[in-house]
């Protein structure tokens, strides 16, 4: 059973605002979304920041990397100008800012743990602890629909998240589903498989669902494709085109 929303805004507000920014969350809300996926990476001083790329150059101008920059300095960087002049000085958010915004607006979170190389376990454990501490009430309430879902491509990050906060649900991100997917998912205590919609087949979807896992896809921007994979039993997907595929999409 998939207790979470079916349609999720990717990287904050998809392609309607700069990715992984509070402006993105605002765009999602403007389009009626109450579900978001975003990426969290640790700064040099070990603070979770909402950002996708380990290196500067695309969403943050200049040279350098997230893992070699302190959180306070990242938070002062411009993560909006690359997308449009009207988003100039949109900061790199702290993970806790995203949590605060999502709680205030009742937005469900799929937190993707996105460790820089070498920081897999540290990032997984940090994200899990902070999430657990901020969602203690929801976790005690016992309704899984209100729990944030942690996910990662990194087995080690998810294993560390499992050890730090076993009560938080975990989704295992797999670009291409390997033959031993179920053994890995079992080790991680994962509740769901998150996979690339381009690589999914009806047979794989049926196999994952028959094994009792949730099935989530990234990233679907074509409504016809969305309908197709939902017909295969996919429980939910994230989209960049929050203007084309709304929260009530079927
Ligand atoms: O969590 C699904 C999706 O976000 C994974 O790919 O590169 O957009 O983080 P990416
Ligand atoms: Mg992501």
């Amino acid at each position: 059973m998939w207790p979470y929303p079916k349609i999720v805004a990717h990287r904050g507000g998809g392609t309607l605002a700069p990715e992984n920014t509070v402006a993105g969350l605002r765009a999602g809300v403007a389009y009626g979304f109450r579900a978001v996926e975003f990426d969290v990476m640790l700064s040099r001083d070990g603070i979770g920041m909402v950002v996708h790329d380990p290196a500067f150059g695309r969403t943050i101008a200049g040279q350098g990397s997230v893992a070699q920059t302190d959180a306070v300095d990242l938070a002062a960087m411009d993560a909006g100008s690359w997308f449009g002049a009207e988003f100039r000085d949109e900061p790199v958010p702290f993970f806790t800012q995203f949590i605060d915004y999502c709680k205030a607006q009742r937005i469900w979170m799929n937190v993707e743990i996105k460790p820089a190389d070498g920081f897999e376990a540290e990032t997984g454990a940090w994200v899990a602890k902070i999430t657990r501490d901020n969602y203690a009430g929801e976790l005690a309430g016992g309704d899984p629909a209100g729990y944030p879902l942690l996910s990662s491509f990194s087995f080690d990050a998810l294993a560390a998240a499992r050890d730090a906060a076993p009560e938080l649900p975990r989704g295992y991100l797999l670009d291409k589903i390997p033959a031993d997917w179920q053994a890995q998912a079992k080790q991680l205590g994962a509740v769901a498989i998150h996979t690339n919609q381009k690589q999914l087949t009806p047979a794989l979807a049926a196999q994952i669902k028959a094994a009792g896992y949730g099935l989530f896809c990234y990233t679907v921007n074509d409504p016809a494709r969305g309908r197709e994979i939902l017909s295969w039993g996919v429980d939910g997907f994230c989209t960049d085109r929050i203007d084309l595929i709304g929260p009530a999409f079927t």
Side-chain angles (χ1 to χ4, degrees), residues 219-238:
T219 300
V220 181
N221 298 325
D222 172 29
R225 180 62 174 168
R227 272 179 217 107
E228 183 176 42
I229 63 166
L230 289 175
S231 80
W232 297 349
V234 166
D235 294 300
F237 62 78
C238 57

Side-chain angles (χ1 to χ4, degrees), residues 10-11 37 39 52 112 114 153 173 218:
H10 185 228
R11 300 188 193 177
E37 184 272 354
D39 309 290
H52 183 277
E112 186 188 337
K114 193 73 118 181
F153 287 107
L173 267 160
Y218 63 91

Side-chain angles (χ1 to χ4, degrees), residues 3 33 45 48 76 94 97 110 142 164 168 194 196 219 230 242 247 250:
F33 276 79
D45 48 345
F94 288 91
Q97 274 178 287
N110 170 200
L168 284 172
H194 294 210
N196 188 341
T219 300
L230 289 175
I242 62 171
T250 52

Side-chain angles (χ1 to χ4, degrees), residues 19-21 38-54 56 59-60 65-79 90-99 111-116 123 126-127 130:
E19 66 181 51
N20 289 321
T21 64
F38 57 88
D39 309 290
V40 177
M41 195 177 295
L42 292 187
S43 62
R44 175 163 62 186
D45 48 345
I47 308 292
M49 305 300 288
V50 182
V51 60
H52 183 277
D53 296 5
F56 301 161
T59 63
I60 301 170
S65 74
V66 174
Q68 289 168 352
T69 307
D70 287 342
V72 67
D73 296 323
L74 287 165
M77 287 177 176
D78 173 0
E90 186 68 36
V92 179
F94 288 91
F95 176 40
T96 51
Q97 274 178 287
F98 257 45
I99 290 177
V111 183
E112 186 188 337
I113 304 165
K114 193 73 118 181
T123 311
W126 192 94
V127 169
I130 295 292

